[in-house]
Amino acid sequence: MTDGPRSDVGRWGGNAWQPPTTPSPEPEPEPEPDSRSRRGGRSFWARCCGCCSCRNDDDWGREPYRDRGSGSRGRGSRSGGRRPDSRGSDSRQPGSRGSGVNAAGDGTIREGMLVVTGVDLLSSRSDQNRREHHTDEFEYDELIVRRGQPFHMVLLLSRPYESSDHIALELLIGNNPEVGKGTHVIIPVGKGGSGGWKAQVTKANGQNLNLRVHTSPNAIIGKFQFTVRTRTEAGEFQLPFDPHNEIYILFNPWCPEDIVYVDHEDWRQEYVLNESGRIYYGTEAQIGERTWNYGQFDHGVLDACLYILDRRGMPYGGRGDPVNVSRVISAMVNSLDDNGVLIGNWSGDYSRGTNPSAWVGSVEILLSYLRTGYSVPYGQCWVFAGVTTTVLRCLGLATRTVTNFNSAHDTDTSLTMDIYFDENMKPLEHLNHDSVWNFHVWNDCWMKRPDLPSGFDGWQVVDATPQETSSGIFCCGPCSVESIKNGLVYMKYDTPFIFAEVNSDKVYWQRQDDGSFKIVYVEEKAIGTLIITKAIGSSMREDVTHIYKHPEGSEAERKAVETAAAHGSKPNVYANRDTAEDVAMQVEAQDAVMGQDLTVSVVLTNRGSSRRTVKLHLYLSVTFYTGVTGSVFKESKKEVVLQPGASDRVAMPVAYTEYKPHLVDQGAMLLNVSGHVKESGQVLAKQHTFRLRTPDLSLSLLGAAVVGQECEVQIVFKNPLPVTLTNVVFRLEGSGLQRPKILNVGDIGGNETVTLRQTFVPVRPGPRQLIASLDSPQLSQVHGVIQVDVAPAPGGGSFFSDARGNSRSGETIPMASRGGA
C-alpha cells in the first residue's frame, strides 16, 4: 500500500464528521424545503404512478420532510404536516402517532379519504418477519429485515380497501433522499415496482390490509423512515413519520440475488449468526486461543455500526455495495485519519485506557463509541479484527476472524522481508525496517467482486489494523484471497501488502568488503507459516493456509512468489544467489509457563559427506508480537564440529530471574541464531520466537440458567508469579447473558488463589458463552470462558433491558476466598 491521490472508494474527505465538544444524540432538524423545488416540479403520485401524471401539482400539496438520517443515534419524529385550523369535528391533529394529513397539509380529513390509522410491521422477535429474516436474535423492537427477501405488514385503515384506492409505501434514508440514488424508495401497492421493489395485497379483511413487501437485493443498508400515502377522489392522505415504524435493512447472505450470498447454511450459521468465536495468537509452535464475544445482536450494537458509516460521512447511495462498506469499516475501526472506533497502542503503556489484552468482546467498545463519539483506548490487531467481525456480521456480511502466524510487514513494497547484516553477520538495525509479527489477526468476508475480472469472488481480506496507508488512508481491503494465492498483486485493493504478509520470503543480506550487499541466505518458509480460523460449528481450529497460498515449495507457490516480486520494488532479488547448503539448523524452545525457568536449544545436522565446523552465535531478547525487539539480555557463542551425518544440540538455559526484568506484552522472546560453516562458507541464519504461557481463569456455574432469573457464576484464579499482582481488574461479558461488566478486585498476592462470585440475569435462551478476563500491570492475557445453556422463561419469550448488569466505570468486588499455593 502506498500513498497517493484519494481516488479509491471508502473515504470521502469532503464529508468528514467533526465531533462536537459534547456529542449530541439528536441534531437539530433542518428547515423544511419546498418539495417541488427539490423534485423538479413533479408531484409524488406523478412520480410513482403513471395514471396520475396528468394531475396538477397543486392538487397534492407539500411532501413530508425532516432530518432523514439513518437514525442510528435514536432521533425523534416530526409530524408530516402543518398545524390544522379549526374545521369542525372531522378535523384531525396530525402531530400525534397514527394521525395523518391531507394533500393541502391543513390536517383536514375529508369524507371518502382513505386514512391509514396505524401500521403493524409485525416486528416483534417472535413474529414471522424477524424469524424468516434471521433477525430474531437482535435485541430490538423495530423491524429488521434483510434485503432481497419479502416481509409482511398490516395497514389499519379508516374503511375497507377498494380496488380504486391508490396506496404507496415510501422508504427514505439520508439528509436529501433521491429516487435516483435509492435513498427515496416509492412502492405502489399492487403495481410492479422498479429494481426489485414491490408490494402486493395478500388479504383485505375489513379495515385491515395485509401486504407482502419485496425489497431490492441491491437496496441500501441502514435505518429507513417509513410512511404510507393514499389517494382517492376525496383527496390524498399521508401517514406521518413515526420512529416506531422505522425499518432496518441489512445485507442478505440467504438471498441468491444479493452479492453477499453464501450457499452453505452451516457457513451462514457460523459466519453471520454466531455471536462468539475464537481468536488465536502466540506463535505457530505455541498457539494461544481466547474466546471473543462479538455480540452483534446486543441492544445498541446495530445503531453503533450504522453510526460508524454516518461518522465517516459515507454517501448513503454507496451503502448498498459491500465492497464500499467493508472498505469504510476497515478504515473506521481504527482511529487514525478519521477519529474512528479504536486507538491503537503498542507501547506497553495503557495507563490512559484499557490494555488490549483485557477486552473480552466488542460490545463495550462499540457502545462506548456510540455513547460518547470518541475513540476508545486501546486496541491491537485482534481487537481491531474482533470489532470488525462484529460490525460486518451485524450488517449481514459473512465474516470470520483469521490469524496469520509469522506475518510480514513489508515497508518498501519489495514483497520480500529484508534483513541486513555486517561482514560479521551482526544485524544492522538501522537498515532493518521490515518486520515479522509473531502473529497478525485480520478478517475474511464473503462477497462477489463485480469490480474485478471473473474468478475473484468469495473470501476477501479486510484488515482494520493501521499498518500502512492505502491511497493516503489507513485502511486495507477488501482484497480477493484468490489474487493473493496467485501473486496477482495488481488486483485491488492492497494485494501487494497482504501478499507479503503471507507469502514473501525472508532474505538475509550481508555487507561485503566493498560496501555492497549480497544475498547469503533466503528463508523460503518463514512467512505465513500457518493461517487459521475457528472451525464451523465447533471450537476447533481450521487451517486455511491452502486458500491463501499453494503448497510451500511447490512450483505453483514459487511462481506466485516470483511473479509478485517482479511487480515489487526489487524485481531481480532472486537472481544470482548462492544455494549450496549441507548443514541444517533447527531451533527448539520448551513449553514454559510465565514465572518458570526455561531452556532453548539449537540442533545442527550435517547432511553432507565431509566434516563441518560451525561457529554459532545465539542472542536472546524479549519482543513485542509486532516484531519490535528489546535489547539482548543473554547471549552465547560456541563452535561445533559435525561429522558427516551427525547432529549436535546447543542448549541455552534461561532463569525466571534473568527474563523477568525485561518482559513485555504477550510474554514473547526472540532467539536470533547466526552461524558460519568454516569449510564451505555456508551462512546459517534463523529467527525463532516463542512465548511464555499464562494461566486460564476457571469459571463454573452455580445453578441452572433461565431467562429472566438470576444466576451465579464462580471465577477461580491462581497467581502463577511469586510477586503481588496490583490493581487487578476482571471483565465479564456474554451476549444474551451479561452486558459488559468491570470488576475491580485490588491486589492478589504471589502464588495466591482467589475466588469471586457474580450474578447475572440471562435475557435470551439457548447456548451462550460467558467470557472473563483478568488484567494487572504485572500479568495480562488471562482469560476464561464457560458455556451456559439458558432455558426459556416459564412463560416463554425473552427479556432484555438496557441497564442489565452494565458497569462501565467498574465496581470494587471483595474476594469470596483466598488461598495460598
PDB file of all heavy atoms in Angstrom, residues 340-373:
ATOM      1  N   GLY A 340     -11.874   7.235  14.338  1.00  0.00           N
ATOM      2  CA  GLY A 340     -12.651   6.003  14.316  1.00  0.00           C
ATOM      3  C   GLY A 340     -12.778   5.358  15.683  1.00  0.00           C
ATOM      4  O   GLY A 340     -12.515   5.968  16.722  1.00  0.00           O
ATOM      5  N   VAL A 341     -13.157   4.078  15.684  1.00  0.00           N
ATOM      6  CA  VAL A 341     -13.602   3.418  16.910  1.00  0.00           C
ATOM      7  C   VAL A 341     -12.486   3.229  17.931  1.00  0.00           C
ATOM      8  O   VAL A 341     -12.655   3.555  19.108  1.00  0.00           O
ATOM      9  CB  VAL A 341     -14.232   2.049  16.562  1.00  0.00           C
ATOM     10  CG1 VAL A 341     -14.652   1.320  17.829  1.00  0.00           C
ATOM     11  CG2 VAL A 341     -15.436   2.231  15.641  1.00  0.00           C
ATOM     12  N   LEU A 342     -11.337   2.698  17.502  1.00  0.00           N
ATOM     13  CA  LEU A 342     -10.305   2.256  18.447  1.00  0.00           C
ATOM     14  C   LEU A 342      -8.982   2.967  18.231  1.00  0.00           C
ATOM     15  O   LEU A 342      -8.550   3.158  17.094  1.00  0.00           O
ATOM     16  CB  LEU A 342     -10.070   0.753  18.289  1.00  0.00           C
ATOM     17  CG  LEU A 342     -10.933  -0.204  19.105  1.00  0.00           C
ATOM     18  CD1 LEU A 342     -10.816  -1.613  18.540  1.00  0.00           C
ATOM     19  CD2 LEU A 342     -10.538  -0.198  20.567  1.00  0.00           C
ATOM     20  N   ILE A 343      -8.326   3.313  19.323  1.00  0.00           N
ATOM     21  CA  ILE A 343      -6.980   3.879  19.272  1.00  0.00           C
ATOM     22  C   ILE A 343      -5.979   2.739  19.404  1.00  0.00           C
ATOM     23  O   ILE A 343      -6.012   1.981  20.370  1.00  0.00           O
ATOM     24  CB  ILE A 343      -6.759   4.888  20.415  1.00  0.00           C
ATOM     25  CG1 ILE A 343      -7.780   6.028  20.321  1.00  0.00           C
ATOM     26  CG2 ILE A 343      -5.337   5.426  20.407  1.00  0.00           C
ATOM     27  CD1 ILE A 343      -7.780   6.948  21.536  1.00  0.00           C
ATOM     28  N   GLY A 344      -5.099   2.591  18.435  1.00  0.00           N
ATOM     29  CA  GLY A 344      -4.065   1.564  18.511  1.00  0.00           C
ATOM     30  C   GLY A 344      -2.959   1.975  19.464  1.00  0.00           C
ATOM     31  O   GLY A 344      -2.589   3.145  19.552  1.00  0.00           O
ATOM     32  N   ASN A 345      -2.428   1.001  20.190  1.00  0.00           N
ATOM     33  CA  ASN A 345      -1.342   1.285  21.135  1.00  0.00           C
ATOM     34  C   ASN A 345      -0.495   0.028  21.294  1.00  0.00           C
ATOM     35  O   ASN A 345      -0.985  -1.006  21.755  1.00  0.00           O
ATOM     36  CB  ASN A 345      -1.909   1.723  22.487  1.00  0.00           C
ATOM     37  CG  ASN A 345      -0.831   2.147  23.470  1.00  0.00           C
ATOM     38  OD1 ASN A 345       0.353   1.896  23.272  1.00  0.00           O
ATOM     39  ND2 ASN A 345      -1.244   2.789  24.548  1.00  0.00           N
ATOM     40  N   TRP A 346       0.769   0.132  20.885  1.00  0.00           N
ATOM     41  CA  TRP A 346       1.718  -0.980  21.011  1.00  0.00           C
ATOM     42  C   TRP A 346       2.891  -0.595  21.917  1.00  0.00           C
ATOM     43  O   TRP A 346       3.939  -1.226  21.878  1.00  0.00           O
ATOM     44  CB  TRP A 346       2.238  -1.390  19.634  1.00  0.00           C
ATOM     45  CG  TRP A 346       1.222  -2.096  18.793  1.00  0.00           C
ATOM     46  CD1 TRP A 346       1.064  -3.439  18.659  1.00  0.00           C
ATOM     47  CD2 TRP A 346       0.218  -1.511  17.959  1.00  0.00           C
ATOM     48  NE1 TRP A 346       0.018  -3.736  17.807  1.00  0.00           N
ATOM     49  CE2 TRP A 346      -0.523  -2.563  17.367  1.00  0.00           C
ATOM     50  CE3 TRP A 346      -0.156  -0.200  17.666  1.00  0.00           C
ATOM     51  CZ2 TRP A 346      -1.582  -2.340  16.490  1.00  0.00           C
ATOM     52  CZ3 TRP A 346      -1.215   0.025  16.804  1.00  0.00           C
ATOM     53  CH2 TRP A 346      -1.917  -1.036  16.219  1.00  0.00           C
ATOM     54  N   SER A 347       2.716   0.430  22.737  1.00  0.00           N
ATOM     55  CA  SER A 347       3.820   0.954  23.537  1.00  0.00           C
ATOM     56  C   SER A 347       4.068   0.169  24.820  1.00  0.00           C
ATOM     57  O   SER A 347       5.153   0.229  25.391  1.00  0.00           O
ATOM     58  CB  SER A 347       3.539   2.416  23.907  1.00  0.00           C
ATOM     59  OG  SER A 347       2.486   2.492  24.857  1.00  0.00           O
ATOM     60  N   GLY A 348       3.052  -0.561  25.285  1.00  0.00           N
ATOM     61  CA  GLY A 348       3.141  -1.230  26.570  1.00  0.00           C
ATOM     62  C   GLY A 348       2.611  -0.387  27.717  1.00  0.00           C
ATOM     63  O   GLY A 348       2.417  -0.890  28.824  1.00  0.00           O
ATOM     64  N   ASP A 349       2.345   0.895  27.478  1.00  0.00           N
ATOM     65  CA  ASP A 349       1.781   1.783  28.492  1.00  0.00           C
ATOM     66  C   ASP A 349       0.307   2.016  28.178  1.00  0.00           C
ATOM     67  O   ASP A 349      -0.032   2.708  27.222  1.00  0.00           O
ATOM     68  CB  ASP A 349       2.532   3.114  28.508  1.00  0.00           C
ATOM     69  CG  ASP A 349       1.967   4.102  29.533  1.00  0.00           C
ATOM     70  OD1 ASP A 349       1.092   3.700  30.329  1.00  0.00           O
ATOM     71  OD2 ASP A 349       2.399   5.270  29.523  1.00  0.00           O
ATOM     72  N   TYR A 350      -0.565   1.429  28.995  1.00  0.00           N
ATOM     73  CA  TYR A 350      -2.006   1.529  28.763  1.00  0.00           C
ATOM     74  C   TYR A 350      -2.704   2.250  29.919  1.00  0.00           C
ATOM     75  O   TYR A 350      -3.901   2.061  30.141  1.00  0.00           O
ATOM     76  CB  TYR A 350      -2.605   0.135  28.569  1.00  0.00           C
ATOM     77  CG  TYR A 350      -1.819  -0.710  27.593  1.00  0.00           C
ATOM     78  CD1 TYR A 350      -1.175  -1.874  27.996  1.00  0.00           C
ATOM     79  CD2 TYR A 350      -1.695  -0.323  26.258  1.00  0.00           C
ATOM     80  CE1 TYR A 350      -0.445  -2.635  27.103  1.00  0.00           C
ATOM     81  CE2 TYR A 350      -0.964  -1.073  25.364  1.00  0.00           C
ATOM     82  CZ  TYR A 350      -0.336  -2.227  25.786  1.00  0.00           C
ATOM     83  OH  TYR A 350       0.394  -2.976  24.896  1.00  0.00           O
ATOM     84  N   SER A 351      -1.953   3.066  30.644  1.00  0.00           N
ATOM     85  CA  SER A 351      -2.474   3.707  31.851  1.00  0.00           C
ATOM     86  C   SER A 351      -3.627   4.661  31.552  1.00  0.00           C
ATOM     87  O   SER A 351      -4.434   4.959  32.429  1.00  0.00           O
ATOM     88  CB  SER A 351      -1.354   4.457  32.573  1.00  0.00           C
ATOM     89  OG  SER A 351      -0.744   5.418  31.721  1.00  0.00           O
ATOM     90  N   ARG A 352      -3.736   5.145  30.333  1.00  0.00           N
ATOM     91  CA  ARG A 352      -4.812   6.077  29.982  1.00  0.00           C
ATOM     92  C   ARG A 352      -6.020   5.377  29.346  1.00  0.00           C
ATOM     93  O   ARG A 352      -6.912   6.041  28.823  1.00  0.00           O
ATOM     94  CB  ARG A 352      -4.288   7.152  29.026  1.00  0.00           C
ATOM     95  CG  ARG A 352      -3.245   8.072  29.646  1.00  0.00           C
ATOM     96  CD  ARG A 352      -2.710   9.071  28.634  1.00  0.00           C
ATOM     97  NE  ARG A 352      -1.741   9.979  29.233  1.00  0.00           N
ATOM     98  CZ  ARG A 352      -2.036  11.150  29.781  1.00  0.00           C
ATOM     99  NH1 ARG A 352      -3.285  11.555  29.801  1.00  0.00           N
ATOM    100  NH2 ARG A 352      -1.095  11.902  30.302  1.00  0.00           N
ATOM    101  N   GLY A 353      -6.007   4.073  29.364  1.00  0.00           N
ATOM    102  CA  GLY A 353      -7.122   3.345  28.771  1.00  0.00           C
ATOM    103  C   GLY A 353      -7.103   1.901  29.211  1.00  0.00           C
ATOM    104  O   GLY A 353      -6.675   1.575  30.323  1.00  0.00           O
ATOM    105  N   THR A 354      -7.561   1.009  28.334  1.00  0.00           N
ATOM    106  CA  THR A 354      -7.654  -0.418  28.633  1.00  0.00           C
ATOM    107  C   THR A 354      -6.566  -1.177  27.892  1.00  0.00           C
ATOM    108  O   THR A 354      -6.371  -0.966  26.683  1.00  0.00           O
ATOM    109  CB  THR A 354      -9.043  -0.950  28.216  1.00  0.00           C
ATOM    110  OG1 THR A 354     -10.047  -0.269  28.967  1.00  0.00           O
ATOM    111  CG2 THR A 354      -9.163  -2.440  28.470  1.00  0.00           C
ATOM    112  N   ASN A 355      -5.873  -2.051  28.603  1.00  0.00           N
ATOM    113  CA  ASN A 355      -4.912  -2.946  27.972  1.00  0.00           C
ATOM    114  C   ASN A 355      -5.635  -3.758  26.905  1.00  0.00           C
ATOM    115  O   ASN A 355      -6.668  -4.374  27.181  1.00  0.00           O
ATOM    116  CB  ASN A 355      -4.314  -3.882  29.032  1.00  0.00           C
ATOM    117  CG  ASN A 355      -3.210  -4.778  28.488  1.00  0.00           C
ATOM    118  OD1 ASN A 355      -3.195  -5.133  27.312  1.00  0.00           O
ATOM    119  ND2 ASN A 355      -2.290  -5.151  29.354  1.00  0.00           N
ATOM    120  N   PRO A 356      -5.140  -3.776  25.661  1.00  0.00           N
ATOM    121  CA  PRO A 356      -5.840  -4.537  24.613  1.00  0.00           C
ATOM    122  C   PRO A 356      -6.106  -5.985  24.989  1.00  0.00           C
ATOM    123  O   PRO A 356      -7.107  -6.566  24.556  1.00  0.00           O
ATOM    124  CB  PRO A 356      -4.887  -4.432  23.414  1.00  0.00           C
ATOM    125  CG  PRO A 356      -4.150  -3.154  23.631  1.00  0.00           C
ATOM    126  CD  PRO A 356      -3.969  -3.049  25.127  1.00  0.00           C
ATOM    127  N   SER A 357      -5.224  -6.585  25.799  1.00  0.00           N
ATOM    128  CA  SER A 357      -5.413  -7.979  26.196  1.00  0.00           C
ATOM    129  C   SER A 357      -6.575  -8.165  27.160  1.00  0.00           C
ATOM    130  O   SER A 357      -7.038  -9.288  27.364  1.00  0.00           O
ATOM    131  CB  SER A 357      -4.137  -8.519  26.849  1.00  0.00           C
ATOM    132  OG  SER A 357      -3.059  -8.529  25.937  1.00  0.00           O
ATOM    133  N   ALA A 358      -7.054  -7.079  27.762  1.00  0.00           N
ATOM    134  CA  ALA A 358      -8.103  -7.187  28.780  1.00  0.00           C
ATOM    135  C   ALA A 358      -9.505  -7.258  28.177  1.00  0.00           C
ATOM    136  O   ALA A 358     -10.434  -7.731  28.842  1.00  0.00           O
ATOM    137  CB  ALA A 358      -8.023  -6.004  29.746  1.00  0.00           C
ATOM    138  N   TRP A 359      -9.689  -6.786  26.948  1.00  0.00           N
ATOM    139  CA  TRP A 359     -11.025  -6.836  26.341  1.00  0.00           C
ATOM    140  C   TRP A 359     -11.464  -8.294  26.182  1.00  0.00           C
ATOM    141  O   TRP A 359     -10.660  -9.169  25.855  1.00  0.00           O
ATOM    142  CB  TRP A 359     -11.039  -6.179  24.967  1.00  0.00           C
ATOM    143  CG  TRP A 359     -10.694  -4.719  24.926  1.00  0.00           C
ATOM    144  CD1 TRP A 359      -9.600  -4.153  24.334  1.00  0.00           C
ATOM    145  CD2 TRP A 359     -11.449  -3.624  25.441  1.00  0.00           C
ATOM    146  NE1 TRP A 359      -9.609  -2.790  24.467  1.00  0.00           N
ATOM    147  CE2 TRP A 359     -10.735  -2.430  25.144  1.00  0.00           C
ATOM    148  CE3 TRP A 359     -12.655  -3.536  26.145  1.00  0.00           C
ATOM    149  CZ2 TRP A 359     -11.201  -1.178  25.519  1.00  0.00           C
ATOM    150  CZ3 TRP A 359     -13.106  -2.279  26.515  1.00  0.00           C
ATOM    151  CH2 TRP A 359     -12.393  -1.119  26.198  1.00  0.00           C
ATOM    152  N   VAL A 360     -12.749  -8.546  26.351  1.00  0.00           N
ATOM    153  CA  VAL A 360     -13.288  -9.888  26.121  1.00  0.00           C
ATOM    154  C   VAL A 360     -14.315  -9.898  24.996  1.00  0.00           C
ATOM    155  O   VAL A 360     -14.858 -10.946  24.656  1.00  0.00           O
ATOM    156  CB  VAL A 360     -13.922 -10.466  27.402  1.00  0.00           C
ATOM    157  CG1 VAL A 360     -12.858 -10.707  28.443  1.00  0.00           C
ATOM    158  CG2 VAL A 360     -15.020  -9.564  27.942  1.00  0.00           C
ATOM    159  N   GLY A 361     -14.595  -8.738  24.421  1.00  0.00           N
ATOM    160  CA  GLY A 361     -15.562  -8.672  23.337  1.00  0.00           C
ATOM    161  C   GLY A 361     -15.666  -7.280  22.770  1.00  0.00           C
ATOM    162  O   GLY A 361     -14.976  -6.346  23.199  1.00  0.00           O
ATOM    163  N   SER A 362     -16.550  -7.133  21.795  1.00  0.00           N
ATOM    164  CA  SER A 362     -16.695  -5.894  21.044  1.00  0.00           C
ATOM    165  C   SER A 362     -17.754  -4.957  21.602  1.00  0.00           C
ATOM    166  O   SER A 362     -17.763  -3.767  21.287  1.00  0.00           O
ATOM    167  CB  SER A 362     -17.061  -6.210  19.585  1.00  0.00           C
ATOM    168  OG  SER A 362     -16.168  -7.120  19.001  1.00  0.00           O
ATOM    169  N   VAL A 363     -18.683  -5.490  22.398  1.00  0.00           N
ATOM    170  CA  VAL A 363     -19.873  -4.728  22.771  1.00  0.00           C
ATOM    171  C   VAL A 363     -19.514  -3.467  23.550  1.00  0.00           C
ATOM    172  O   VAL A 363     -19.983  -2.364  23.233  1.00  0.00           O
ATOM    173  CB  VAL A 363     -20.851  -5.604  23.571  1.00  0.00           C
ATOM    174  CG1 VAL A 363     -22.047  -4.774  24.045  1.00  0.00           C
ATOM    175  CG2 VAL A 363     -21.332  -6.775  22.719  1.00  0.00           C
ATOM    176  N   GLU A 364     -18.688  -3.615  24.570  1.00  0.00           N
ATOM    177  CA  GLU A 364     -18.319  -2.461  25.399  1.00  0.00           C
ATOM    178  C   GLU A 364     -17.641  -1.382  24.554  1.00  0.00           C
ATOM    179  O   GLU A 364     -17.884  -0.183  24.731  1.00  0.00           O
ATOM    180  CB  GLU A 364     -17.384  -2.919  26.524  1.00  0.00           C
ATOM    181  CG  GLU A 364     -16.983  -1.812  27.484  1.00  0.00           C
ATOM    182  CD  GLU A 364     -16.039  -2.297  28.572  1.00  0.00           C
ATOM    183  OE1 GLU A 364     -15.804  -3.518  28.669  1.00  0.00           O
ATOM    184  OE2 GLU A 364     -15.526  -1.454  29.333  1.00  0.00           O
ATOM    185  N   ILE A 365     -16.821  -1.799  23.611  1.00  0.00           N
ATOM    186  CA  ILE A 365     -16.096  -0.855  22.754  1.00  0.00           C
ATOM    187  C   ILE A 365     -17.064  -0.086  21.865  1.00  0.00           C
ATOM    188  O   ILE A 365     -17.028   1.155  21.794  1.00  0.00           O
ATOM    189  CB  ILE A 365     -15.057  -1.611  21.909  1.00  0.00           C
ATOM    190  CG1 ILE A 365     -13.987  -2.248  22.810  1.00  0.00           C
ATOM    191  CG2 ILE A 365     -14.416  -0.695  20.869  1.00  0.00           C
ATOM    192  CD1 ILE A 365     -13.097  -3.251  22.103  1.00  0.00           C
ATOM    193  N   LEU A 366     -17.946  -0.800  21.190  1.00  0.00           N
ATOM    194  CA  LEU A 366     -18.858  -0.157  20.240  1.00  0.00           C
ATOM    195  C   LEU A 366     -19.876   0.736  20.956  1.00  0.00           C
ATOM    196  O   LEU A 366     -20.196   1.827  20.473  1.00  0.00           O
ATOM    197  CB  LEU A 366     -19.568  -1.217  19.397  1.00  0.00           C
ATOM    198  CG  LEU A 366     -18.692  -1.902  18.355  1.00  0.00           C
ATOM    199  CD1 LEU A 366     -19.389  -3.127  17.779  1.00  0.00           C
ATOM    200  CD2 LEU A 366     -18.316  -0.934  17.235  1.00  0.00           C
ATOM    201  N   LEU A 367     -20.380   0.281  22.091  1.00  0.00           N
ATOM    202  CA  LEU A 367     -21.362   1.104  22.804  1.00  0.00           C
ATOM    203  C   LEU A 367     -20.717   2.353  23.381  1.00  0.00           C
ATOM    204  O   LEU A 367     -21.350   3.415  23.446  1.00  0.00           O
ATOM    205  CB  LEU A 367     -22.031   0.290  23.905  1.00  0.00           C
ATOM    206  CG  LEU A 367     -22.909  -0.883  23.446  1.00  0.00           C
ATOM    207  CD1 LEU A 367     -23.625  -1.509  24.633  1.00  0.00           C
ATOM    208  CD2 LEU A 367     -23.912  -0.453  22.385  1.00  0.00           C
ATOM    209  N   SER A 368     -19.466   2.261  23.786  1.00  0.00           N
ATOM    210  CA  SER A 368     -18.762   3.449  24.271  1.00  0.00           C
ATOM    211  C   SER A 368     -18.586   4.459  23.143  1.00  0.00           C
ATOM    212  O   SER A 368     -18.779   5.667  23.331  1.00  0.00           O
ATOM    213  CB  SER A 368     -17.400   3.050  24.847  1.00  0.00           C
ATOM    214  OG  SER A 368     -16.656   4.194  25.204  1.00  0.00           O
ATOM    215  N   TYR A 369     -18.245   3.969  21.962  1.00  0.00           N
ATOM    216  CA  TYR A 369     -18.068   4.862  20.806  1.00  0.00           C
ATOM    217  C   TYR A 369     -19.396   5.519  20.419  1.00  0.00           C
ATOM    218  O   TYR A 369     -19.455   6.714  20.122  1.00  0.00           O
ATOM    219  CB  TYR A 369     -17.506   4.064  19.632  1.00  0.00           C
ATOM    220  CG  TYR A 369     -17.130   4.907  18.430  1.00  0.00           C
ATOM    221  CD1 TYR A 369     -16.124   5.859  18.516  1.00  0.00           C
ATOM    222  CD2 TYR A 369     -17.761   4.721  17.204  1.00  0.00           C
ATOM    223  CE1 TYR A 369     -15.763   6.620  17.413  1.00  0.00           C
ATOM    224  CE2 TYR A 369     -17.404   5.483  16.099  1.00  0.00           C
ATOM    225  CZ  TYR A 369     -16.409   6.421  16.208  1.00  0.00           C
ATOM    226  OH  TYR A 369     -16.055   7.187  15.116  1.00  0.00           O
ATOM    227  N   LEU A 370     -20.468   4.757  20.461  1.00  0.00           N
ATOM    228  CA  LEU A 370     -21.789   5.305  20.143  1.00  0.00           C
ATOM    229  C   LEU A 370     -22.226   6.324  21.190  1.00  0.00           C
ATOM    230  O   LEU A 370     -22.772   7.374  20.859  1.00  0.00           O
ATOM    231  CB  LEU A 370     -22.810   4.166  20.064  1.00  0.00           C
ATOM    232  CG  LEU A 370     -24.273   4.568  19.870  1.00  0.00           C
ATOM    233  CD1 LEU A 370     -24.498   5.208  18.512  1.00  0.00           C
ATOM    234  CD2 LEU A 370     -25.191   3.365  20.055  1.00  0.00           C
ATOM    235  N   ARG A 371     -21.952   6.023  22.436  1.00  0.00           N
ATOM    236  CA  ARG A 371     -22.426   6.868  23.532  1.00  0.00           C
ATOM    237  C   ARG A 371     -21.669   8.194  23.608  1.00  0.00           C
ATOM    238  O   ARG A 371     -22.251   9.245  23.864  1.00  0.00           O
ATOM    239  CB  ARG A 371     -22.284   6.100  24.848  1.00  0.00           C
ATOM    240  CG  ARG A 371     -22.833   6.811  26.080  1.00  0.00           C
ATOM    241  CD  ARG A 371     -22.726   5.927  27.315  1.00  0.00           C
ATOM    242  NE  ARG A 371     -21.351   5.647  27.675  1.00  0.00           N
ATOM    243  CZ  ARG A 371     -20.759   4.464  27.555  1.00  0.00           C
ATOM    244  NH1 ARG A 371     -21.439   3.452  27.055  1.00  0.00           N
ATOM    245  NH2 ARG A 371     -19.505   4.292  27.910  1.00  0.00           N
ATOM    246  N   THR A 372     -20.338   8.148  23.397  1.00  0.00           N
ATOM    247  CA  THR A 372     -19.516   9.341  23.610  1.00  0.00           C
ATOM    248  C   THR A 372     -19.096  10.031  22.324  1.00  0.00           C
ATOM    249  O   THR A 372     -18.817  11.232  22.328  1.00  0.00           O
ATOM    250  CB  THR A 372     -18.240   8.975  24.385  1.00  0.00           C
ATOM    251  OG1 THR A 372     -17.397   8.164  23.550  1.00  0.00           O
ATOM    252  CG2 THR A 372     -18.572   8.219  25.666  1.00  0.00           C
ATOM    253  N   GLY A 373     -18.992   9.293  21.225  1.00  0.00           N
ATOM    254  CA  GLY A 373     -18.480   9.864  19.984  1.00  0.00           C
ATOM    255  C   GLY A 373     -16.978   9.946  19.932  1.00  0.00           C
ATOM    256  O   GLY A 373     -16.421  10.455  18.957  1.00  0.00           O
TER     257      GLY A 373
END
